[in-house]
Amino acid sequence: MLRSPWRYLLAPILATSAMTGSVSAEDASPASCAPWLDAAAESLGEGRIAEAVKDFESVVQDPSALPFVRGLALLGLAEAASVEGGTASIAAWERLATETAVPQFFRDEARRRIAEAQRRRQSLPGRDPAAYRAPLPELPVPAVVFHVSLIGDDANNGSEGSPFRTLSRARDAVRALKADRDGALPSGGIHILICGGTYHVEQTFHLTAEDSGTAGAPVVYRSKPGEIPIFRGGTRLTGWKPISDPARRNQLDPAVRDRVLELNLKDHGVTNWGDATDLRRRPELFLDGVPQTLARWPNEGFVKTGEILGTDTFTLWNTIQGCRDGKFRYLEDRPNHWVDEPDVRLYGYWFWDWFEEYQTVASIDAQTRSFKLSPPFSNYGYRQGQRYLAVNLFCEIDAPGEWYLDRRDGKAYWLPTEGVDLATAETVLSVWDAPFIMLDDVEHVLLIGWTFQEGRHDGIHLNGGANCLIAGCTVRQLGGDAIVIKGGLRHGIFGCTMHTLGCGGARVAGGDRAALEPGQHFVENCTVHDISRIKRTYTPAVHLDGCGNRIAHNLFERIPSSAMRIEGNDHLVELNTIRHVVQESDDQGGIDMFGNPLYRGVVIRWNRWSDITGGTHCGAAGIRLDDMISGIVVHGNIFERCGAVLFGGVQIHGGKENLVDGNLFVDCHAGISFSHWGAQRWREAIGRFLAQAKQPPYTTHYPSLAQLEENADVNYISRNLFAGCGHVFLRDDGISKSVLNGVMDRATDPQLVSSAASIREVPQLNRLLIAPIPIAEIGPYEHPWRR
């Protein structure tokens, strides 16, 4: 008897009249492109092994079968052999592993299954979680240890009893030691232990090639065990008082004017007031670590642009009216009060709901109720009915937590939250406007256990070099990105926490796309949340570029736009948890790829995507493959409550040869959505990429590029289970090649997701050949270096 969680499972060859529950005819899994493969899989599911083997073999030998169908047939043969056990199972997997005529993904799965079988023969669990974790360096016992402490002195010798005061002095001590040894470090390397406490940053800590270590003699800058060194780029503000100028005070709402406080920043030595909205120059005010709000209107949400008044007009797609110069009407009365404000800034999604910019107001005309903006104008132009808000307005300090910096006299104004005890609360203004740390062409240097906070710029820049690791660090309350890696080889960001950032988490670029040589950088076991506060789009938790890098075991959440943006080739994104992202922007995904049909070899597997339901006109997807993205593997993911408007859990826009395989879609707006381009648009768009596609190493590394100009919009959909989704496919039009997919009613199965790890144990699912999803391994894991 079928176990209750699966009793609404439908056969992979779906007859619309036989559908059960809430699934409608138009939402059924599309007809199979290989019914003979479905029949073989059904025989396997019903225990008719000999019949299944015969039918799978006939598919393998069929020269007209699509490569991915042949790969599934070989997989079916291996599954059939696994039922009987013994050496036949290994032989069947080895046959698939060496079959070059099927997609690389299936060969990789076979090699994985062989390794699991060999482990079981040794009485070990089949799957080894350690095999999917970054190999971190094992630190040797250091030959020399230097100490840095707030109570130290740079005239000291750096011992525990006589520590240095600054990092630069410790760096110079390492250089001197190397110089005394003809440029070599002693075996075991050097550790610099940084004692806990608050270090005020007044210059970037800069390491260069001469500061490098080696594998056997690394240079390790780490926190002293049990202590946390905090590097702060802000100035603590004390002495807040009621506004002294009655005229200034009377500009505020009567309900709050007695509660708004002022402070002369020059009294605290602050003379660099930055800019109100420029990235990496903007000062921020923090109350006990919580960013305060630059005085704005409206206090929540957005208003819409009125009539566009500029003269440099254009029409897009024959329907969308736009204008390149910034002048438009406002629809509300409130801006009439701003004519005397000295520096009004507007923040808006001026043309598209997926791209926003700050703009400076040149003038406000209360008679015509219009704004005139200062150049440079918005990148895409302006149109009516778009979202925007206003900031940097003294007279709009009317909500708890709002503040304003008057750059004419250097005074800050702030409305504290009621009940805040200014005697004990800490208010800090971010001042430092450069990276905290820069590493240029450095090798084998590790930074472990630091905290960076309250800067206007980025946290750490790592350029070139090799084999450096940033581990167990906290980067927070910055105006830019947390960690930026450009170039180099085999750098890692591990176990870090990145949050409350004006821009994104990590920007990582490595490897050579032209030569398809991997960079082997990784971002693993990190938590990134509450980012993109100042630049709301295109500042994800991880922006990955280049070739052959990896994002794994992370948690990304509470982000207004995408959690990841992937560019380049042969990257691996696995075992991450992504939730509550794309909360404000439109036409984006939890992961986003865009614009290049040669971005191939990317595998996105075993991730958990949940509650990604934002968007305005187009929507939000879990995974969005936009504008020609092709040849991507999406395997073994769990999508829960993903998709909105026009998008499903996976959205494919104009690409082909993407393999969406073995995924679980639960309570999604739609499982998979498509935006087809057609042959003509496809050929026109890929023209500029053809020369590279027809040259090595692309021709040898991606054999399917030989047919790049053919089969527009054809993608491959297999072994997926759709449970309780509003739609299975959106806008497929019968173009994709689909096989071995199932649809079920979600209503009676609250435990569906937790069953994903043992999905193969359900006999009725054997007909789909669905592989278990390692749900227990998804997300961060415990490690001594994880902050």
Side-chain angles (χ1 to χ4, degrees), residues 521-661:
H521 297 329
F522 64 86
V523 180
E524 181 163 316
N525 210 24
C526 296
T527 298
V528 186
H529 63 89
D530 297 290
I531 62 172
S532 307
R533 295 181 301 104
I534 300 173
K535 180 70 179 78
R536 305 285 286 174
T537 62
Y538 300 98
T539 52
V542 179
H543 182 285
L544 188 65
D545 199 355
C547 179
N549 304 299
R550 181 169 173 266
I551 304 172
H553 287 291
N554 302 289
L555 168 61
F556 304 139
E557 62 181 338
R558 298 195 299 275
I559 302 172
S561 193
S562 299
M564 289 174 276
R565 188 164 185 87
I566 307 297
E567 300 180 66
N569 296 69
D570 299 343
H571 301 304
L572 179 59
V573 180
E574 64 178 353
L575 297 162
N576 301 284
T577 296
I578 306 96
R579 61 195 184 202
H580 299 288
V581 301
V582 197
Q583 294 182 305
E584 181 177 289
S585 66
D586 183 46
D587 201 15
Q588 300 290 305
I591 195 171
D592 221 84
M593 297 185 67
F594 169 81
N596 192 327
L598 306 187
Y599 282 176
R600 299 203 168 214
V602 175
V603 176
I604 305 169
R605 68 182 184 187
W606 305 324
N607 303 283
R608 188 169 184 175
W609 316 80
S610 60
D611 299 290
I612 305 174
T613 59
T616 55
H617 301 292
C618 295
I623 296 173
R624 178 172 172 266
L625 307 179
D626 193 21
D627 276 23
M628 299 182 286
I629 294 297
S630 303
I632 308 302
V633 172
V634 178
H635 169 75
N637 297 272
I638 299 173
F639 299 89
E640 302 167 274
R641 300 172 299 282
C642 291
V645 193
L646 303 177
F647 289 178
V650 175
Q651 156 68 8
I652 301 174
H653 186 220
K656 68 166 196 162
E657 295 173 353
N658 297 295
L659 176 63
V660 183
D661 174 85

Side-chain angles (χ1 to χ4, degrees), residues 5 89 121 136 157 205 247 320 323 334 352 381 421 465 483 579 602 614:
S89 173
R121 286 186 174 184
L136 300 176
N157 62 13
F205 179 54
I320 302 176
C323 185
R334 195 68 178 181
W352 302 113
D421 184 356
I483 301 171
R579 61 195 184 202
V602 175

Side-chain angles (χ1 to χ4, degrees), residues 740-782:
L740 294 176
N741 296 292
V743 181
M744 63 183 293
D745 187 341
R746 170 75 169 129
T748 58
D749 181 24
Q751 305 302 318
L752 177 59
V753 172
S754 61
S755 302
S758 57
I759 202 167
R760 194 188 294 133
E761 298 175 7
V762 182
Q764 288 74 13
L765 293 185
N766 286 343
R767 69 187 68 185
L768 303 183
L769 304 181
I770 295 178
I773 299 172
I775 189 169
E777 297 176 36
I778 295 175
Y781 55 89
E782 292 301 317

Side-chain angles (χ1 to χ4, degrees), residues 170-182:
R171 175 201 61 199
D172 293 345
V174 176
R175 290 177 177 176
L177 182 62
K178 291 179 73 174
D180 290 342
R181 297 174 52 85
D182 296 324

